[in-house]
């Protein structure tokens, strides 16, 4: 089965291709990820063909609060700062996420706008799965 054609989901970032070359790393970090609980190695290999990997330089806004969400991402390497605009109109850090964490899944599932912004706190390698 061939994977569908890919489109770039994250502005100003070039895709690195599908996640197949990163399957071993994904398997290594996905243990605690509920979203992938019960997946066998062969299933992860198949899923990886539908994911696009991206490299994001430090400081890159990957997800913008309020945007429509049509993808989720799995952090393979690096750290992402999660920032929400407060009632005072200023951004405030609400969390950090590193390898093995998924971001953006709720907007994909419920169709609601993004809850917060996600900004690369270091160089980041991520795999993206679209709706």
């Amino acid at each position: 089965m061939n994977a569908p054609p890919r489109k770039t989901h994250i502005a100003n970032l070039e895709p690195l291709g599908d996640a197949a070359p990163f399957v071993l790393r994904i398997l290594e970090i996905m243990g605690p990820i509920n979203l992938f609980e019960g997946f066998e190695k062969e299933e992860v290999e198949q899923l990886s063909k539908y994911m696009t990997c991206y490299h994001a330089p430090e400081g890159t806004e990957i997800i913008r609060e309020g945007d429509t969400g049509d993808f989720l991402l799995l952090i393979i390497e690096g750290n992402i700062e999660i920032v929400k605009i407060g009632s005072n109109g200023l951004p405030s850090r609400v969390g950090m996420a590193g390898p093995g964490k998924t971001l953006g899944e709720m907007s994909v599932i419920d169709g609601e706008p993004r809850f917060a912004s996600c900004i690369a706190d270091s160089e980041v390698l991520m795999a993206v799965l679209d709706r």
Side-chain angles (χ1 to χ4, degrees), residues 89-126:
L90 299 174
S92 176
R93 178 188 285 188
V94 295
M96 291 290 292
K101 298 295 182 189
T102 57
L103 298 171
E105 64 273 13
M106 287 310 300
S107 290
V108 173
I109 293 168
D110 65 16
E112 294 293 319
R114 301 290 192 181
F115 169 78
S117 295
C118 297
I119 301 164
D121 193 53
S122 63
E123 288 193 24
V124 173
L125 173 64
M126 67 196 115

Side-chain angles (χ1 to χ4, degrees), residues 15-49:
L16 300 175
D18 72 33
F22 303 99
V23 166
L24 293 178
R25 178 67 179 135
I26 291 169
L27 285 165
E28 184 180 297
I29 63 176
M30 69 180 255
I33 304 173
N34 293 337
L35 185 64
F36 299 117
E37 187 175 14
F39 274 51
E40 299 294 329
K41 180 179 186 265
E42 294 76 21
E43 293 167 321
V44 174
E45 288 171 345
Q46 193 65 20
L47 177 64
S48 72
K49 296 175 186 174

Side-chain angles (χ1 to χ4, degrees), residues 48-126:
S48 72
K49 296 175 186 174
Y50 292 87
M51 301 176 88
T52 303
C53 284
Y54 294 88
H55 170 263
E58 182 177 350
T60 302
E61 184 176 50
I62 300 165
I63 291 175
R64 178 174 292 145
E65 181 178 350
D67 281 358
T68 302
D70 66 348
F71 68 90
L72 65 87
L73 63 91
L74 167 64
I75 304 169
I76 299 173
E77 299 290 340
N79 294 298
I80 294 178
E81 179 181 32
I82 304 162
V83 177
K84 181 138 182 74
I85 301 298
S87 58
N88 60 3
L90 299 174
S92 176
R93 178 188 285 188
V94 295
M96 291 290 292
K101 298 295 182 189
T102 57
L103 298 171
E105 64 273 13
M106 287 310 300
S107 290
V108 173
I109 293 168
D110 65 16
E112 294 293 319
R114 301 290 192 181
F115 169 78
S117 295
C118 297
I119 301 164
D121 193 53
S122 63
E123 288 193 24
V124 173
L125 173 64
M126 67 196 115

